[in-house]
Amino acid sequence: MKQTITLTVNGDEFQLAVDPRRTLLEVLREELHLTGAKKNCNEGECGACTVIMDGKAVSSCLVLAVQARGKKIETIEGLARNGKLHPLQEAFVKHGGLQCGFCTPGMIMSAKALLDKNPRPTEDEIKTAIAGNLCRCTGYVKILESIKAVVDGKG
Amino acid sequence: MQEYSVVGKRVPNVDSRVKVTGEATYVDDLVLPGMLVGKVLRSTVAHARIVSIDTSAAEKLPGVKAVVTGKDAPNVKVGWLRGSRDRLPLTRDKVRFIGEAIAAVAAMDEDTAEEALGLIKVQYEELPAVFDPVKAMKDGAPRIQDDAKNNIALERHWNYGDVEKGFRESDYVREDTFYTPSFLCGYMEPNAAVAQWDANGKLTTWVSSQAPFFLRRELSLLYSIPQGKVRVINRFVGGGFGGKCEICDVHVSASLLARKAGRPVKVVYTTEDEFAVQPRRIPSTMTLKTGVKKDGAIVAQTSSIVTDGGPYRSVGGVTIYNHGLANMIPYRIPNFKFDAFRVFTNNQVGMAKRGHGQIQMRYAVESQMDMIAEALGIDPVDIRLKNALKPGEVTVNGLRMRTSGLVEAIEGAARRSGWKQKRGKGRAQGRGIGISCGGFACGPKIASLTDSGAIIKVNEDAGIVVYTGASDIGQGSNTVVTQVVAEVLGIGPEEISVVTGDTDVTPFEPGTYGSRVSWYMCNAAIKAAEDLRRQIVEPVASKLEVKPEEIVLRNGGLYVGERRAMSFAEAVRAVQVSSEKGILIAKGTYYPPDVEWPDPANNYYGNIAGGYSFSAQIAEVEVDRETGQVKLLKVTAGDDIGYPLNEMLAEGQAEGSISMGQGETMYENIIVSNGRVMNPSLVDYKLPTVMDTPEMDVTHVITNEPGGPFGAKEVGEGFIVSIPGAIANAIHDATGVWIKELPITPEKIVKALEAKEKEGKS
């Protein structure tokens, strides 16, 4: 039995009828065609599906769409404004904070959730914020450099 | 270090802007009208005859549009190489490992497809299984493939010089056995395929592949249709590391289901699928006997390996050949004997992973090198300098080292790490430092057609489009090809776009494996760019009344001496309007001139690559003796990658290699018990996280390899092969114990320390 919910995603409101078993990730990807959040493990282990819900980074594969009812959702697609990349996106480009790109949207969203609350985090706080985001390509060095560049205002 | 205008610079990855915005689409992001969702049914037993498969209940489930079993597939065996085509894409009569694909379902949605899988009834008649390759080789062991006596899938034997004489002439000889288990490639994007057949009988499949042209060949052979009837299109590839080279049941089930349903079908692997069938690092048992002189110079070595390939030949002899290759580089071994077996078992299939077949052997060799150094009282740095291959040397199996920066790499890393101050001095504090070295062939010749091609098309406004068949799997090949073409044409990288990954569009390219892409593909692209330069310069030169060789392309213009005669765009325009050759299309193909196939009839002798990279790594660790917990503090490394085409991307390859090598050394392990994977999740498997990242310091030795593009060698794989040895040797320096099997877990360290303590007391 589908339920009607309202989701606010990147500032836009969507009225949706969803099966209560569907996850937020599935609804974002399949109903709203916002495919920036990626599906890998689908059990909250890899972080590729990270989005921000009411200011907090969440694994959208572990959130039911009906749980997101009325919540403010931010996805990677909402970061660039008027053709201008978000400072984190600029920094990941400039400092090579990505390779294959599959973990990148989730990684950036985890970092954004941190910086939105704490614009001057320590290295340990940055590491803690992205500890749940797996990257197999970079060894995390340039990801850390990218985030630190934004913190230091050198994005 | 030679300076170029674009090559060598920290040019951002050309795909990075679309990747940071989430615009980059991977296979799972693709939706086609009428597309169905496919799922694969896998074997639950390790070895059995399939008595019957009843799909009737699944077919009747509302929403199910197609069910396929092995009987729907052509009776054609597939595999990477001619000699290794021993595998039906969906098995018919037998299953040989847990997770082998038996059937597949396409349905309107994922839930229905899952439910349908549960309705398929497979009746097995279980057969005796064997999981230990050594037991599998014994007489009377269960036979896994009809054509393989004693389950020996493949064997390789080389013999150079006289090892027995060498051992007699040695001052010190020792023999050790090492073991490395199975590791996951662990790419972040699950393997996936969308397939569609059109009314002309043409199959188009969107994939995530390191080798789209190999996949096209396999699909063409499987369906007995010409290659022109198969179009393989790569989306962005979310990592590969060797695991996306081969045809998998994801490709076969998507195309079979799409054919039967008459609609496009998407199959995306779950994590469980990945642990069942992702091509994995082959487990290897390696016995090394090495004889040295008092000064540490190696006189002779025998290397005997038994690898567990699972029940199919897969990439065939390459994995075991590569073990021997890793013996041959980067130390001089005058007498060498190699005996290698790939054995069939009922475990999952072993194949290629970054550092294919070589990281295992480097771990063994480098560990034993330190044991020898310790026994002889030689510093580990010095014993490596003693044996390091130097420029101009030819190894006993015919590998020609035109350049080698290994000595400088070792010396530099030792100096920067503070080796002399730290080595042997930290044990009381649980600190240790260890060194290991490696070398790697730049694109070994493994099959008959290993050439690369590139085409350049010029737009009406003088913009450049480069077509290559290389797969950018994240390493940045699209970026470096942009740089080399820009350099030859004297224009900015922003003037160039790259088209890759469509077998109907680009020239042939074997694929992104064996660290071949920069070397082969960039060389092909350079030739194409030189062809284009000639097509532009020759007509313009006659107009300017100068010789073509007087014209230099730089800063977006054509220069005669210091005079800028015209812009690149003006020159292109002049050719386009005035010449009958106005449609500018250039091409280049590349094959290294002095490369040989290692001929079995000639003891596998031959120079298999145009160049060889080198690296030296120094690891520093802190070990908690009570818990056995190891923290990797820092890796200081020197590498010889010839010349870095893009410094930022080269650093990224080194950093990623350190992390992946750290995982294999300290945490990762596909735990298999009676053929069943016991830890099939990313958390239980333990991929390294940011919390594990050590400090890294990587410096290049520039050797400008003559055959490499702008002097470059490979960069993606060689760096990883020496990581495990460096960490293992650092752990020994910290604790005094040797762990001869990976991963070096806290449990193993504590047990070894306890055993050592007991030994000391008795």
Side-chain angles (χ1 to χ4, degrees), chain A residues 21-22 26 29-30 33 35-43 45-46 76-77 80 83 85 89-90 92-96 98-105 108 124 127-128 130-131 134-142 144-145, chain B residues 10 12-13 16-17 19-22 24-26 28-29 110-111 184-190 237-239 241 271 353-354 473-475 648 651-653 655-656 659-660 668 681-683 685 687-691 693-694 696:
Chain A
R21 294 173 304 168
R22 306 311 280 173
E26 288 164 341
R29 289 179 56 82
E30 293 163 21
H33 305 292
T35 55
K38 299 298 179 202
K39 188 174 181 179
N40 175 4
C41 70
N42 210 29
E43 51 195 26
E45 296 172 350
C46 73
I76 192 73
E77 288 88 350
L85 296 184
Q89 293 172 311
E90 285 287 2
F92 272 66
V93 171
K94 185 177 163 193
H95 298 278
L98 59 93
Q99 287 181 30
C100 83
F102 200 79
C103 74
T104 310
I108 290 177
D124 279 349
K127 284 184 173 177
T128 304
I130 61 168
L134 295 177
C135 169
R136 191 59 151 172
C137 298
T138 65
Y140 305 98
V141 177
K142 295 205 183 317
L144 282 173
E145 274 174 29
Chain B
R10 301 177 78 87
N13 188 312
S16 54
R17 292 179 79 82
K19 285 178 174 175
V20 296
T21 52
T25 53
Y26 302 76
D28 191 22
D29 302 331
E110 196 174 353
D111 288 353
L184 196 70
C185 290
Y187 41 71
M188 282 295 114
E189 182 211 7
V237 180
F241 313 113
T271 302
K353 184 187 172 189
R354 191 184 213 171
I473 60 173
Q475 86 282 29
M648 187 161 77
E651 284 168 8
Q653 287 303 303
E655 291 156 2
S659 175
M660 190 179 276
E668 299 178 34
S681 79
L682 295 177
V683 160
Y685 176 72
L687 290 179
T689 75
V690 70
M691 294 304 195
T693 299
M696 302 182 195

Side-chain angles (χ1 to χ4, degrees), chain B residues 124-402:
Chain B
Y124 299 106
E125 179 193 311
E126 283 207 53
L127 299 168
V130 62
F131 306 106
D132 176 341
V134 175
K135 285 184 188 153
M137 290 166 83
K138 294 208 167 114
D139 287 337
R143 191 155 182 163
I144 296 171
Q145 292 282 5
D146 294 338
D147 65 348
K149 194 171 172 282
N150 291 98
N151 291 311
I152 295 169
L154 291 151
E155 56 189 294
R156 296 281 182 273
H157 304 280
W158 324 342
N159 198 350
Y160 299 107
D162 184 341
V163 286
E164 289 313 319
K165 185 164 168 276
F167 288 135
R168 283 196 302 275
E169 289 169 1
S170 296
D171 297 317
Y172 178 71
V173 179
R174 67 173 293 144
E175 184 177 298
D176 300 279
T177 297
F178 299 88
Y179 174 75
T180 56
S182 184
F183 298 112
L184 196 70
C185 290
Y187 41 71
M188 282 295 114
E189 182 211 7
N191 212 342
V194 172
Q196 182 175 36
W197 295 80
D198 72 11
N200 288 324
K202 179 162 179 166
L203 166 64
T204 301
T205 185
W206 292 263
V207 298
S208 175
S209 174
Q210 293 178 241
F213 284 88
F214 276 8
L215 190 52
R216 179 178 74 166
R217 182 195 63 194
E218 294 304 312
L219 289 168
S220 144
L221 289 171
L222 175 66
Y223 290 111
S224 300
I225 51 177
Q227 292 181 351
K229 290 275 191 197
V230 182
R231 183 177 185 183
V232 177
I233 301 174
N234 241 354
R235 312 286 291 179
F236 279 98
V237 180
F241 313 113
K244 289 178 180 169
C245 289
E246 243 186 337
I247 189 168
C248 288
D249 58 60
V250 76
H251 310 114
V252 176
S253 54
S255 53
L256 276 176
L257 289 166
R259 190 170 70 166
K260 194 160 182 183
R263 290 166 68 165
V265 173
K266 180 198 282 181
V267 181
V268 182
Y269 277 166
T270 62
T271 302
E272 281 171 359
D273 288 322
E274 290 288 356
F275 274 92
V277 294
Q278 182 178 123
R280 59 196 51 208
R281 173 98 61 221
I282 205 163
S284 195
T285 301
M286 298 158 284
T287 299
L288 271 182
K289 184 176 175 187
T290 306
V292 298
K293 288 286 191 193
K294 266 195 211 103
D295 62 1
I298 302 169
V299 185
Q301 186 169 74
T302 59
S303 173
S304 312
I305 66 162
V306 175
T307 65
D308 170 5
Y312 297 103
R313 286 181 180 84
S314 179
V315 69
V318 179
T319 317
I320 54 177
Y321 172 88
N322 281 354
H323 278 72
L325 185 62
N327 282 113
M328 295 281 84
I329 337 176
Y331 304 133
R332 190 181 309 107
I333 305 175
N335 302 288
F336 179 69
K337 186 167 179 291
F338 180 57
D339 295 290
F341 297 91
R342 181 183 174 115
V343 180
F344 287 132
T345 68
N346 295 109
N347 294 317
Q348 288 73 25
V349 183
M351 206 245 182
K353 184 187 172 189
R354 191 184 213 171
H356 181 193
Q358 297 173 65
I359 186 170
Q360 297 99 320
M361 185 56 78
R362 289 309 320 153
Y363 157 65
V365 169
E366 294 292 335
S367 297
Q368 195 188 51
M369 189 67 121
D370 264 28
M371 296 170 190
I372 292 168
E374 190 173 69
L376 296 177
I378 303 175
D379 186 286
V381 165
D382 295 336
I383 198 169
R384 285 169 173 81
L385 288 170
K386 180 94 208 160
N387 290 291
L389 286 168
K390 299 211 170 65
E393 286 197 63
V394 180
T395 65
V396 286
N397 67 328
L399 312 177
R400 290 194 284 276
M401 310 292 136
R402 266 184 303 203

Side-chain angles (χ1 to χ4, degrees), chain A residues 52-66:
Chain A
I52 300 176
M53 185 161 80
D54 279 354
K56 210 175 146 206
V58 295
S59 294
S60 60
C61 72
L62 294 184
V63 177
L64 293 173
V66 292

Side-chain angles (χ1 to χ4, degrees), chain B residues 297-608:
Chain B
I298 302 169
V299 185
Q301 186 169 74
T302 59
S303 173
S304 312
I305 66 162
V306 175
T307 65
D308 170 5
Y312 297 103
R313 286 181 180 84
S314 179
V315 69
V318 179
T319 317
I320 54 177
Y321 172 88
N322 281 354
H323 278 72
L325 185 62
N327 282 113
M328 295 281 84
I329 337 176
Y331 304 133
R332 190 181 309 107
I333 305 175
N335 302 288
F336 179 69
K337 186 167 179 291
F338 180 57
D339 295 290
F341 297 91
R342 181 183 174 115
V343 180
F344 287 132
T345 68
N346 295 109
N347 294 317
Q348 288 73 25
V349 183
M351 206 245 182
K353 184 187 172 189
R354 191 184 213 171
H356 181 193
Q358 297 173 65
I359 186 170
Q360 297 99 320
M361 185 56 78
R362 289 309 320 153
Y363 157 65
V365 169
E366 294 292 335
S367 297
Q368 195 188 51
M369 189 67 121
D370 264 28
M371 296 170 190
I372 292 168
E374 190 173 69
L376 296 177
I378 303 175
D379 186 286
V381 165
D382 295 336
I383 198 169
R384 285 169 173 81
L385 288 170
K386 180 94 208 160
N387 290 291
L389 286 168
K390 299 211 170 65
E393 286 197 63
V394 180
T395 65
V396 286
N397 67 328
L399 312 177
R400 290 194 284 276
M401 310 292 136
R402 266 184 303 203
T403 63
S404 165
L406 180 59
V407 166
E408 296 88 333
I410 295 170
E411 289 171 343
R415 192 175 56 246
R416 283 181 288 116
S417 66
W419 173 268
K420 281 215 166 81
Q421 296 81 49
K422 293 175 182 168
R423 173 72 188 183
K425 300 183 179 84
R427 197 169 289 176
Q429 297 83 43
R431 291 281 186 117
I433 187 167
I435 185 170
S436 165
C437 300
F440 212 81
C442 307
K445 181 169 176 64
I446 62 164
S448 52
L449 186 56
T450 45
D451 306 37
S452 281
I455 294 171
I456 298 179
K457 187 180 87 172
V458 184
N459 293 335
E460 297 89 293
D461 66 355
I464 300 294
V465 189
V466 184
Y467 296 80
T468 88
S471 296
D472 192 327
I473 60 173
Q475 86 282 29
S477 55
N478 288 348
T479 307
V480 293
V481 74
T482 299
Q483 290 177 264
V484 298
V485 170
E487 191 71 43
V488 174
L489 299 177
I491 58 178
E494 64 285 352
E495 308 292 332
I496 296 168
S497 50
V498 180
V499 176
T500 60
D502 184 334
T503 55
D504 266 9
V505 174
T506 76
F508 173 79
E509 161 69 36
T512 299
Y513 61 81
S515 252
R516 51 167 284 119
V517 173
S518 296
W519 186 285
Y520 279 73
M521 187 269 286
C522 286
N523 268 323
I526 289 168
K527 285 190 168 186
E530 286 169 349
D531 177 23
L532 177 63
R533 183 171 64 188
R534 187 185 49 74
Q535 291 185 44
I536 295 168
V537 166
E538 281 178 2
V540 169
S542 69
K543 211 177 269 182
L544 294 172
E545 296 178 342
V546 296
K547 287 184 191 141
E549 54 272 25
E550 288 177 71
I551 295 178
V552 176
L553 272 63
R554 61 182 156 96
N555 291 332
L558 278 67
Y559 286 74
V560 179
E562 287 306 302
R563 183 173 66 89
R564 186 180 171 100
M566 60 177 77
S567 72
F568 181 78
E570 285 166 345
V572 165
R573 187 74 189 145
V575 179
Q576 282 173 335
V577 297
S578 69
S579 159
E580 60 190 23
K581 292 170 185 160
I583 307 294
L584 288 165
I585 302 168
K587 69 165 183 149
T589 62
Y590 176 78
Y591 184 73
D594 56 351
V595 162
E596 298 137 9
W597 169 249
D599 187 357
N602 188 23
N603 209 8
Y604 295 90
Y605 186 92
N607 183 43
I608 55 144

